[in-house]
Amino acid sequence: MGMSSFWAVGALAAEDIAELARRAAPAIAAAAARPSAVAAWGRWERDAARGGGAVPVWRPDGCNTEEALRLYDMVNDSAFDAMDSNHELHVMEWWDRFDPGIEPYIASVRKDNPVAALFHGLGPARAAALPGWAGDVVLTSDEVRRLLPAVEGALAVTGAERARVLARIDDWPGDKEPEELLDGPLRAWRNAAGAGAGLLAARIWF
């Protein structure tokens, strides 16, 4: 049976965020700062620039391009996956702590990565405005409110640009809903900000 990649964005209470940040925030920061990660992001920027804003996804023979595989490998490098594999932290236990009164966003894609699809749709410049690394972030309520304008700038695309972003998400491998993948994370972020809650975004294979 094939595995699925899950991505969740949800609200957590202050005491939960404080505990989780102590355990997970250094790992996320370290993942983003690794020389290999910095180099991979720069390579994506160059690949996307050559492709007119996004990497080509498909070869004529129906297989994925090298550019798409490099983007997938970069975005698939999750701090929460590593902590789960090392039995340091099981992120789904934290998803159980999401505030039941604040609707989260949860996506799953079989044999592929929803964050990779979103990043492909957004392109490097917009994806760079999202905090954390590759869909992983832990933020206090103050940070959620402070960073909300940047997240809105990245995700609240309209008009012809929105159509291009959705078409790119749809072109990426995996069974997903492009509009929900673009709109759902921002909706969950706004919900957390409006409620004065902290926020956890985490991607993991299961």
Side-chain angles (χ1 to χ4, degrees), residues 20-37:
L20 183 58
R22 176 179 56 79
R23 300 174 63 184
I28 297 171
R34 283 197 313 269
S36 59

Side-chain angles (χ1 to χ4, degrees), residues 28 31-48 55 66-79 81 113 115-120 123-125 127-128 132-136 172 203 205:
I28 297 171
R34 283 197 313 269
S36 59
V38 174
W41 192 283
R43 187 166 52 240
W44 178 36
E45 291 178 325
R46 296 189 294 273
D47 288 344
V55 301
E66 290 298 318
E67 295 93 334
L69 292 172
R70 286 196 292 265
L71 172 57
Y72 174 85
D73 288 341
M74 180 189 77
V75 177
N76 203 47
D77 190 9
S78 164
D81 266 332
N113 184 331
V115 182
L118 178 63
F119 274 32
H120 174 63
W133 173 252
D136 294 340
W172 191 261
R203 211 276 313 142
W205 284 99

Side-chain angles (χ1 to χ4, degrees), residues 26-125:
I28 297 171
R34 283 197 313 269
S36 59
V38 174
W41 192 283
R43 187 166 52 240
W44 178 36
E45 291 178 325
R46 296 189 294 273
D47 288 344
R50 286 193 296 269
V55 301
V57 177
W58 302 103
R59 299 185 333 205
D61 62 5
C63 295
N64 293 130
T65 64
E66 290 298 318
E67 295 93 334
L69 292 172
R70 286 196 292 265
L71 172 57
Y72 174 85
D73 288 341
M74 180 189 77
V75 177
N76 203 47
D77 190 9
S78 164
F80 283 107
D81 266 332
M83 287 185 287
D84 184 82
S85 296
N86 293 332
H87 306 288
E88 299 173 43
L89 183 151
H90 299 290
V91 73
M92 285 189 170
E93 296 176 2
W94 291 87
W95 294 359
D96 289 339
R97 303 193 197 186
F98 281 153
D99 189 319
I102 305 174
E103 182 183 4
Y105 170 71
I106 300 177
S108 67
V109 176
R110 186 171 178 268
K111 294 185 178 181
D112 213 282
N113 184 331
V115 182
L118 178 63
F119 274 32
H120 174 63
L122 294 175

